[in-house]
Amino acid sequence: KKINTNINTGISYNIFEDNSEDALISKNTGYTLNSSINLSTNLFKDKYSVSISGRYNGPNYSLLNKRTNFPYIDLSISTNYFNDKLSLSLYGRGLLGNKFNGYRDTSSSANFYQRIEVDNDFSNVLLTLSYRFGKTFNDKIENNDINNNDIR
């Protein structure tokens, strides 16, 4: 069975500096990793399309803080009935009970430490039902040959 795989990743190094004399935080540095993966396939004689996606971004830096984000996973299943007239799709995010869209901000210097925590715990399930009325059109070009019989 064919599984389509898409993996993206990137690493960056961040440097933020404030050289003023009264700067509370004069420098903040660190590496950031951004990555995503998508796996998709068709099952049961290509009747069902299944896709699983995951993403992680972070930590993100500014002069004042370091923000750690949480990864997430999406699941999508879709199928068609009645000669592709009826489409049924099921989509889910946050189904594994992990935190979604939350983050941790940390700021520190020799004189202070601050941590802000934001947790958005939720799950999202979407069911979509679509029906196509009327005739479906095929815009595919049948013959790609160029015929120049009108040129002398």
Side-chain angles (χ1 to χ4, degrees):
K1 187 51 91 173
K2 182 172 104 173
I3 297 177
N4 297 316
T5 304
N6 185 347
I7 299 172
N8 295 302
T9 191
I11 297 173
S12 62
Y13 184 71
N14 307 276
I15 302 172
F16 295 93
E17 291 182 292
D18 182 351
N19 295 323
S20 63
E21 291 180 18
D22 57 348
L24 189 58
I25 298 175
S26 59
K27 188 174 185 179
N28 195 11
T29 63
Y31 287 95
T32 298
L33 171 67
N34 296 311
S35 59
S36 66
I37 185 170
N38 179 279
L39 304 171
S40 62
T41 190
N42 293 319
L43 301 173
F44 306 113
K45 298 181 183 177
D46 295 338
K47 185 69 176 165
Y48 293 91
S49 174
V50 178
S51 175
I52 297 173
S53 300
R55 185 169 189 86
Y56 175 77
N57 294 320
N60 298 317
Y61 291 86
S62 71
L63 177 62
L64 300 178
N65 67 0
K66 170 185 169 183
R67 175 169 287 183
T68 304
N69 299 302
F70 298 116
Y72 65 85
I73 296 175
D74 296 344
L75 173 66
S76 175
I77 302 170
S78 61
T79 188
N80 293 316
Y81 298 102
F82 308 120
N83 294 327
D84 292 338
K85 291 263 187 198
L86 179 68
S87 296
L88 180 66
S89 298
L90 179 65
Y91 168 82
R93 176 175 279 179
L95 301 176
L96 300 178
N98 57 340
K99 296 175 182 0
F100 173 76
N101 203 20
Y103 58 88
R104 304 277 186 270
D105 276 351
T106 305
S107 299
S108 63
S109 73
N111 299 325
F112 84 97
Y113 175 83
Q114 174 180 311
R115 180 175 170 151
I116 300 171
E117 298 184 14
V118 176
D119 294 332
N120 294 325
D121 299 333
F122 75 91
S123 295
N124 184 5
V125 176
L126 175 66
L127 179 64
T128 305
L129 185 65
S130 302
Y131 187 81
R132 292 171 197 77
F133 296 94
K135 183 178 178 183
T136 58
F137 295 95
N138 184 359
D139 293 336
K140 182 180 174 185
I141 298 172
E142 297 288 332
N143 188 354
N144 290 334
D145 294 338
I146 298 175
N147 186 357
N148 292 327
N149 59 3
D150 60 343
I151 298 175
R152 296 180 192 199

